[in-house]
Amino acid sequence: MANASSTISASTRGGADYDDLIRGTVKYYSFNLVDLAHYMTLTGAKQRLVQQIDDTFADILTQQDDMEIECFTIGKSHARRAGAGGSGYSKRYKKFNRMNKYTWSLDGGVSGRWSSYYSKKGYSGLVVLTAVTRDIIPRFPTQVRQARDAEEYSIALEQELIKYYREDPLLANVSFNTGPSCDTTPHAGIVYVAYKLKDR
């Protein structure tokens, strides 16, 4: 049986430490980020995210060798820039950086999705895989029409990942869209994987 884990308060800024999450000492969201700036096609970006998901699951199952994946869900969300008028580190960051989670605000995004849905459904964790900003959207995508903004491109990535894993019986997605779109234009689209573990 895995070590007893704690659920972190939704007010904890920046999510859990990745090592704590994969060891199973906490149940929350964390980050295992890959920069998609060098992947100039949707297919290339999808393949890199598949590798990141597989590596993340390998990390989890190496650290918790008495557990196995019961199910997983591919999802998308959004991030805004951390408020410049805040205190502490949020005041130090004036620009949004897709590879620096401390420049992000995830209120109503990943943090809200974890506390309002995945935590209540008994998921073991959620890992943010990438943040997509407008400047890294492929200019000439061959598989889909040109995405107009970061959120559209994150939706396209989410759908490509769901298609890739659709034959996997552990995939829990029941549609190609995991949630509502942001009501205002965000700084970045987020792609994540949420997972539930069970005893072997």
Side-chain angles (χ1 to χ4, degrees), residues 6-181:
S6 63
T7 301
I8 296 178
S9 164
S11 64
T12 302
R13 181 97 186 194
D17 180 80
Y18 180 69
D19 288 337
D20 289 339
L21 188 72
I22 65 172
R23 283 194 298 263
T25 56
V26 295
K27 291 185 175 182
Y28 201 43
Y29 70 90
S30 189
F31 302 82
N32 189 17
L33 296 174
V34 61
D35 191 350
L36 297 180
H38 304 296
Y39 298 89
M40 300 312 295
T41 67
L42 180 64
T43 297
K46 176 200 72 178
Q47 290 170 343
R48 183 61 186 89
L49 288 172
V50 166
Q51 179 185 336
Q52 196 75 347
I53 291 169
D54 292 347
D55 289 349
T56 299
F57 288 166
D59 288 345
I60 293 165
L61 298 179
T62 297
Q63 293 296 320
Q64 302 184 65
D65 58 6
D66 57 344
M67 306 295 282
E68 62 185 7
I69 305 291
E70 180 178 348
C71 66
F72 66 96
T73 300
I74 307 292
K76 62 94 177 71
S77 186
H78 61 271
R80 297 184 177 89
R81 183 176 66 86
S87 60
Y89 59 76
S90 68
K91 202 168 186 178
R92 294 199 300 268
Y93 296 114
K94 303 299 184 186
K95 294 179 69 176
F96 184 92
N97 181 333
R98 65 177 173 272
M99 293 301 291
N100 183 347
K101 66 180 183 178
Y102 296 110
T103 68
W104 308 0
S105 171
L106 296 173
D107 295 340
V110 169
S111 59
R113 193 79 176 128
W114 170 258
S115 59
S116 68
Y117 183 77
Y118 292 109
S119 178
K120 292 179 179 179
K121 294 290 185 180
Y123 275 68
S124 305
L126 181 155
V127 177
V128 177
L129 303 168
T130 196
V132 175
T133 48
R134 188 179 179 88
D135 58 307
I136 67 168
I137 298 172
R139 296 291 176 243
F140 304 102
T142 56
Q143 296 83 7
V144 294
R145 65 181 176 80
Q146 175 68 47
R148 290 174 298 179
D149 57 36
E151 190 174 30
E152 272 196 6
Y153 189 54
S154 66
I155 292 170
L157 287 168
E158 173 196 36
Q159 292 173 349
E160 288 297 306
L161 289 169
I162 292 169
K163 284 186 219 174
Y164 177 86
Y165 286 106
R166 67 184 165 198
E167 301 300 323
D168 190 324
L170 303 183
L171 181 68
N173 292 76
V174 295
S175 73
F176 284 112
N177 193 334
T178 53
S181 298

